[in-house]
Amino acid sequence: MRTFPDDLVRAQREWAATYRRLADRPGRTELRRRLYRLSAQTFFHPSWQRRRPAPAAWWELRERGRSAGNTGERLHG
C-alpha cells in the first residue's frame, strides 16, 4: 500500500463526496465548480511534482476516496 500525504487523501475524499452529491442533484453549479477545484488540487498536488503517478497510484488514491463511505457527505465547501 502506498502512502499519500494527508491533504491529498482528504482532497480525494472530498472529490468523491462532491461527485456523489452532484450525481444526486445534477446541474448544481456550485458542486461542479467545487469538483473542478478539487480535481485540479488533486492532479497538481506538490507530491506529484517529483514524478507523475502511475495509473495504479491514481487507482489506489481513488479507492481511498471511495472507501471513506458516506463520511465525505459531512464535508461542505
Side-chain angles (χ1 to χ4, degrees), residues 1 5 9-10 16-17 35 40 46 51 54 56 58:
M1 184 184 293
V9 173
R10 189 176 318 110
L35 197 62
R51 189 174 71 162
W58 281 111

Side-chain angles (χ1 to χ4, degrees), residues 1-2 6 8 22 27 31-32 34-35 38-39 41 44 47 52 54 57 59-60 62-63 65 68 75:
M1 184 184 293
R2 290 175 179 77
D6 291 339
L8 180 57
L22 185 59
L31 292 176
R32 284 196 325 266
R34 180 157 178 72
L35 197 62
L38 289 166
S39 294
Q41 183 179 347
F44 295 109
S47 69
R52 294 309 299 170
W59 183 83
E60 187 175 334
R62 290 195 67 195
E63 283 299 310
L75 303 173

Side-chain angles (χ1 to χ4, degrees), residues 3-56:
T3 58
F4 296 103
D6 291 339
D7 61 331
L8 180 57
V9 173
R10 189 176 318 110
Q12 183 61 42
R13 286 183 179 157
E14 290 180 33
W15 185 95
T18 303
Y19 189 87
R20 286 190 302 272
R21 289 173 57 204
L22 185 59
D24 290 340
R25 296 181 285 180
R28 301 291 300 241
T29 302
E30 70 276 5
L31 292 176
R32 284 196 325 266
R33 287 180 181 157
R34 180 157 178 72
L35 197 62
Y36 288 139
R37 275 194 313 274
L38 289 166
S39 294
Q41 183 179 347
T42 303
F43 187 78
F44 295 109
H45 191 273
S47 69
W48 300 134
Q49 298 308 312
R50 286 173 264 145
R51 189 174 71 162
R52 294 309 299 170

